[in-house]
Amino acid sequence: MINDNSSTSDNYSFYEQNIEPWVERNGFAHWAMALIWVFVAAVTFQVFGGILQLILIFSTAENLTDPTAIMDSLTKRPDLLMLANTVAQFTMIAGGSLIGLKLHRKVKANKSFLRLQTGENFIQQMGLTAVLFIVAFPIVLFLGWINSFVPVSDFMKQIADQSAEVIGNLLRSENGIILGFLFIGITPAICEELLFRGYMFRAFEKSTKLITTILVTSLVFSMFHLDITGLLPRMFLGGLLAYVTWTSDSLYPAMLGHLINNGGIVLAAGLNPEILESTPSPDSEMPWLLIGLSFIVTPAVLYLLKKYRSETNPKAEDV
């Protein structure tokens, strides 16, 4: 009996196993096409999301001729802004991943390409991932503090402040924590993982080394958020997400880790809104003991993840 969760290239027809992907037939490198496609997905996401936000805001503004009334709608309806963002993520980010993989795949197996599958030691991998993103959070704080020493333009600071204001207004609204968990926790955990650890990671695996794949996908993931103030911590998180994807041979642990990180921040900010206003600065007081412990425990968890590594699912060259 064939196990759907651990199917290999032996399950594919001889024709499928020997056909060249579109990228190779047309002389492209997998990594180069992946960078281009992620850029296209990011731009279309920003444009489509912006258009949706304008449509929703204009539809609720009391006076379309009064700029003040329009700006009030922007601040008073963060739920509409986040709803537009969510729709854009599912259509342009997740949808773009499903379209882009067709350029690289060797067989008609979208789930295998994106690692939407489970393999051996899946339960252990999920449990260790949950532990990892809890014990590694002090390192995230430390990197945020390091990042605060990097000079940032007033424009970039304004963008970060506006984003924090929108999130704060959302969490203070009725059912704000639930909406925040949906818009900020669940949606990125699905859509961004499909694009970066699903599509981009697999495409890079086809033509570059593992360490290059992890570093580049993590950097692009961080830059995708257009927030220089969080470049280092997001890159670190991207590296952890890539690592658990590699060790588990599944996208689900990365989705779980992403959800724990974002969802945890939503819950913490919902209970204590001042968290959103206390951005790291060179003068911030850091929990040095927790940071030290995190630097000890996090590598131990990474070691255990590798120890329970799954190798039963199709490899990059087979999908």
Side-chain angles (χ1 to χ4, degrees), residues 230-277:
L231 181 67
L232 290 180
R234 283 197 180 93
M235 187 174 177
F236 173 70
L237 288 168
L240 295 183
L241 292 166
Y243 185 83
V244 300
T245 299
W246 172 67
T247 57
S248 66
D249 228 352
S250 172
L251 195 61
Y252 297 126
M255 289 182 173
L256 174 63
H258 204 142
L259 178 60
I260 289 173
N261 180 77
N262 288 22
I265 293 174
V266 167
L267 292 176
L271 297 174
N272 184 12
E274 294 180 358
I275 290 178
L276 295 174
E277 301 175 2

Side-chain angles (χ1 to χ4, degrees), residues 7 32 50 62 88 96 115 134 152 165 184 214 247 252 281 301-302 316:
S7 62
E62 296 179 359
R115 287 188 168 96
I134 294 173
V152 178
E165 182 180 2
I184 304 170
I214 292 177
T247 57
Y252 297 126
S281 69
V301 179
L302 294 175

Side-chain angles (χ1 to χ4, degrees):
M1 181 180 293
I2 296 174
N3 187 340
D4 292 337
N5 290 332
S6 59
S7 62
T8 65
S9 58
D10 294 338
N11 298 326
Y12 305 132
S13 68
F14 177 82
Y15 173 76
E16 285 183 318
Q17 291 181 46
N18 289 276
I19 190 172
E20 288 186 339
W22 182 93
V23 167
E24 296 176 11
R25 294 200 307 271
N26 290 274
F28 291 97
H30 287 282
W31 68 266
M33 178 54 66
L35 282 178
I36 294 172
W37 193 257
V38 169
F39 177 78
V40 170
V43 171
T44 54
F45 160 67
Q46 294 292 341
V47 172
F48 183 58
I51 292 174
L52 282 179
Q53 288 177 344
L54 288 175
I55 291 174
L56 291 174
I57 291 302
F58 279 130
S59 67
T60 59
E62 296 179 359
N63 186 355
L64 295 178
T65 61
D66 184 2
T68 302
I70 296 175
M71 291 304 297
D72 287 342
S73 297
L74 285 171
T75 57
K76 292 179 180 178
R77 296 303 306 271
D79 56 331
L80 294 181
L81 295 178
M82 297 304 297
L83 175 61
N85 179 278
T86 294
V87 173
Q89 282 207 45
F90 274 102
T91 53
M92 299 303 165
I93 300 300
S97 304
L98 296 175
I99 296 173
L101 67 84
K102 298 180 185 298
L103 304 174
H104 304 264
R105 70 182 184 185
K106 197 172 184 179
V107 297
K108 295 180 179 179
N110 292 354
K111 288 185 176 181
S112 295
F113 189 98
L114 295 172
R115 287 188 168 96
L116 293 174
Q117 58 204 357
T118 61
E120 60 180 357
N121 302 324
F122 178 71
I123 300 301
Q124 293 94 323
Q125 288 284 339
M126 291 289 280
L128 287 170
T129 296
V131 173
L132 175 66
F133 279 83
I134 294 173
V135 301
F137 190 73
I139 298 180
V140 176
L141 293 177
F142 172 71
L143 291 175
W145 177 70
I146 294 293
N147 209 146
S148 69
F149 287 89
V150 178
V152 178
S153 67
D154 292 337
F155 176 71
M156 294 303 300
K157 289 181 179 178
Q158 184 179 5
I159 292 178
D161 291 342
Q162 288 177 345
S163 177
E165 182 180 2
V166 170
I167 294 174
N169 290 339
L170 175 69
L171 296 178
R172 286 188 290 268
S173 66
E174 185 178 0
N175 298 319
I177 294 181
I178 296 176
L179 292 176
F181 201 78
L182 172 63
F183 294 147
I184 304 170
I186 296 176
T187 297
I190 296 173
C191 300
E192 292 179 9
E193 289 313 305
L194 283 172
L195 180 64
F196 293 102
R197 263 63 62 177
Y199 163 71
M200 188 179 185
F201 193 93
R202 183 70 98 176
F204 261 71
E205 275 186 310
K206 283 177 170 286
S207 57
T208 60
K209 296 180 179 179
L210 175 64
I211 186 63
T212 303
T213 297
I214 292 177
L215 290 175
V216 175
T217 55
S218 302
L219 176 60
V220 175
F221 167 71
S222 185
M223 294 175 64
F224 166 80
H225 291 83
L226 302 177
D227 179 15
I228 301 298
T229 63
L231 181 67
L232 290 180
R234 283 197 180 93
M235 187 174 177
F236 173 70
L237 288 168
L240 295 183
L241 292 166
Y243 185 83
V244 300
T245 299
W246 172 67
T247 57
S248 66
D249 228 352
S250 172
L251 195 61
Y252 297 126
M255 289 182 173
L256 174 63
H258 204 142
L259 178 60
I260 289 173
N261 180 77
N262 288 22
I265 293 174
V266 167
L267 292 176
L271 297 174
N272 184 12
E274 294 180 358
I275 290 178
L276 295 174
E277 301 175 2
S278 58
T279 55
S281 69
D283 299 325
S284 298
E285 294 185 4
M286 303 301 295
W288 294 112
L289 178 59
L290 288 178
I291 291 171
L293 290 173
S294 183
F295 271 104
I296 296 173
V297 178
T298 298
V301 179
L302 294 175
Y303 169 78
L304 290 174
L305 281 162
K306 186 177 180 181
K307 180 179 179 181
Y308 287 103
R309 184 185 172 198
S310 172
E311 299 184 88
T312 60
N313 291 317
K315 303 305 177 186
E317 60 270 19
D318 295 327
V319 294

